[in-house]
Amino acid sequence: MAKIELPFPPTITATDIVNRRKPSKIKSKSPNAFLIYRKAFLDQLSNSKHNLKMTDVSKLVSTYWKNEPENVKEEYRKIAAQV
């Protein structure tokens, strides 16, 4: 499988996340940095036409997140704080 490249800085924004949420979920707890990273990862996977089981995707995202440098994680934390 080819390496998945997420754009940096992230192209996903706090506004994107809020606008995608169902009205009933707007007042619930906002997603953390990892969940936002996961959403960006899933978007990238769908754009590149990869077809993976969700269990495989979860493992893959976890591995990628653990290997990301701190500056990348910090960008996703900033987005999470804005949401």
Side-chain angles (χ1 to χ4, degrees), residues 10-22 25-37 39-40 74-83:
T11 56
I12 194 167
T13 65
T15 304
D16 294 335
I17 294 161
V18 171
N19 289 341
R20 290 181 185 174
R21 296 186 100 180
K22 294 177 184 172
K25 296 278 188 185
I26 295 289
K27 292 185 179 180
S28 66
K29 186 177 176 186
S30 62
N32 63 26
F34 175 75
L35 291 176
I36 294 170
Y37 179 85
K39 176 64 182 136
E74 188 55 37
E75 286 300 315
Y76 284 94
R77 289 183 191 116
K78 287 178 187 175
I79 296 168
Q82 292 170 0
V83 173

Side-chain angles (χ1 to χ4, degrees), residues 1 3 10 12 21 29 31 39 42 45-48 52 56 59 62 66 80:
M1 179 174 166
K3 184 170 175 8
I12 194 167
R21 296 186 100 180
K29 186 177 176 186
K39 176 64 182 136
L42 289 172
L45 273 180
S46 72
N47 289 340
S48 60
L52 299 171
D56 294 335
K59 291 173 192 172
S62 178
K66 288 175 187 171

